[in-house]
């Protein structure tokens, strides 16, 4: 296999910015963690057996059912009170996540922190994302952590505002930073507007790993599923 290369080999990288969901860990693990919390609540509050409740939620996920999962779940167990849906969403969002970093990504963060500054930029509801980040136990490696929700929902990716906040924090232009993400529909467009290099990291079990960018402007500088090669590429650009 040939080595990954940047189009511009003279660009020195001073900051590496990581996405979180489906980049540092598998987002499916958070979803299933939330479903376990819902199933526990359902057993305690609605007398729905935990094993059956969780198995059905997991089945819905595997079948790619989204948006009305809790409605279907309640209907299956003959729970017709519509007021329960917002409560289940609350339980899901407010639970303490049972998630861990992918081993190769924990190694990547540790390795790269020895060569350059690290930052994190993640979309999602602020309190939920904060709990996820705390659960991953990687905070000591990051010099700057930005959750785009702190700037308002309208400034989630692909808005340039959260990226610019990180560049301002380190007082660098976009050309000296890399953004690593998984979702080609939103992760790279805003970054490119500010001149960042980008890496589409396609974890095989990720929810968006095979999703194609909608336009060339959404396409990452490089795309790979090989974390080792990604580390080599970034390391070479920091020296």
């Amino acid at each position: 296999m040939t080595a990954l290369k940047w189009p511009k080999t003279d660009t020195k990288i001073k900051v590496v910015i990581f996405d979180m969901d489906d980049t540092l860990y598998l987002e499916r693990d958070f979803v299933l963690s939330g479903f376990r919390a819902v199933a526990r609540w359902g057993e305690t509050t609605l007398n729905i057996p935990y094993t059956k409740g969780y198995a059905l939620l997991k089945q819905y996920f595997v079948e790619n059912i989204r948006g009305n999962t809790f409605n279907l779940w309640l209907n299956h167990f003959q729970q017709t009170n519509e007021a329960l849906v917002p409560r289940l969403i609350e339980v899901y969002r407010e639970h303490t996540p049972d998630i861990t970093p992918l081993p190769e990504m924990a190694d990547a963060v540790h390795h790269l922190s020895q060569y350059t500054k690290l930052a994190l930029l993640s979309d999602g509801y602020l309190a939920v994302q904060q709990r996820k980040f705390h659960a991953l136990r990687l905070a000591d490696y990051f010099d700057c952590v930005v959750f785009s929700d702190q700037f308002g929902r309208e400034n989630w990716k692909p808005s340039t505002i959260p990226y610019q906040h990180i560049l301002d924090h380190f007082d660098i232009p976009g050309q000296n930073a890399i953004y690593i993400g998984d979702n080609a529909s939103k992760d790279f467009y805003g970054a490119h507007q500010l001149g960042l290099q980008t890496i589409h990291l396609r974890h095989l079990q990720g929810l968006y790993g095979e999703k194609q960018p909608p336009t060339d402007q959404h396409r990452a500088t490089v795309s790979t599923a090989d974390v080792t090669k990604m580390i080599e590429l970034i390391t070479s650009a920091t020296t």
Side-chain angles (χ1 to χ4, degrees):
M1 293 183 177
T2 58
L4 296 174
K5 294 182 180 180
W6 295 122
K8 298 179 180 179
T9 57
D10 59 343
T11 301
K12 184 172 182 179
I13 297 302
K14 296 181 179 180
V15 177
V16 176
I17 309 169
F18 287 87
D19 175 43
M20 183 168 63
D21 299 316
D22 260 352
T23 298
L24 293 179
Y25 80 103
L26 292 179
E27 189 171 356
R28 68 185 302 275
D29 291 346
F30 173 77
V31 173
L32 296 179
S33 171
F35 285 169
R36 289 193 292 272
V38 168
R40 286 192 294 269
W41 186 90
E43 181 172 64
T44 301
T45 309
L46 305 174
N47 294 316
I48 298 172
Y50 170 83
T51 301
K52 291 182 178 180
Y54 175 64
L56 184 58
L57 288 168
K58 186 175 182 180
Q59 178 184 326
Y60 289 154
F61 178 75
V62 171
E63 293 175 353
N64 204 34
I65 293 172
R66 305 288 188 269
N68 63 341
T69 298
F70 294 144
N71 304 75
L72 293 173
W73 190 74
L74 289 168
N75 288 338
H76 177 86
F77 290 108
Q78 299 180 331
Q79 299 288 335
T80 58
N81 184 354
E82 287 298 318
L84 289 172
V85 174
R87 180 64 183 122
L88 294 182
I89 293 172
E90 187 178 65
V91 170
Y92 178 86
R93 289 180 178 169
E94 294 183 357
H95 87 283
T96 299
D98 181 15
I99 57 175
T100 56
L102 288 160
E104 64 269 27
M105 294 308 297
D107 290 343
V109 167
H110 173 73
H111 178 87
L112 292 172
S113 69
Q114 301 174 66
Y115 292 88
T116 187
K117 299 290 186 181
L118 302 185
L120 181 126
L121 168 55
S122 179
D123 275 352
Y125 295 106
L126 180 58
V128 176
Q129 298 307 97
Q130 288 172 328
R131 280 191 287 271
K132 291 176 184 177
F133 186 59
H134 178 75
L136 293 175
R137 301 182 184 277
L138 294 173
D140 289 347
Y141 291 105
F142 289 89
D143 303 282
C144 179
V145 176
V146 172
F147 300 108
S148 57
D149 199 39
Q150 68 194 72
F151 304 108
R153 177 65 180 83
E154 68 277 10
N155 289 310
W156 288 15
K157 296 177 289 186
S159 168
T160 60
I161 287 177
Y163 299 94
Q164 186 64 58
H165 183 84
I166 294 175
L167 298 178
D168 291 345
H169 175 86
F170 291 105
D171 193 23
I172 60 170
Q175 289 78 4
N176 293 128
I178 295 172
Y179 187 66
I180 304 168
D182 69 292
N183 189 341
S185 68
K186 66 173 184 174
D187 281 342
F188 314 121
Y189 183 88
H192 289 163
Q193 306 311 301
L194 298 175
L196 281 77
Q197 304 278 15
T198 56
I199 297 176
H200 183 186
L201 185 57
R202 297 177 287 100
H203 291 306
L204 297 181
Q205 292 181 292
L207 301 183
Y208 305 101
E210 299 305 320
K211 188 171 184 177
Q212 296 301 309
T215 71
D216 285 342
Q217 288 73 33
H218 290 79
R219 193 179 305 278
T221 312
V222 298
S223 178
T224 185
D226 190 323
V227 175
T228 300
K229 285 192 174 184
M230 181 193 76
I231 293 172
E232 292 172 352
L233 174 67
I234 296 173
T235 302
S236 67
T238 64
T239 57

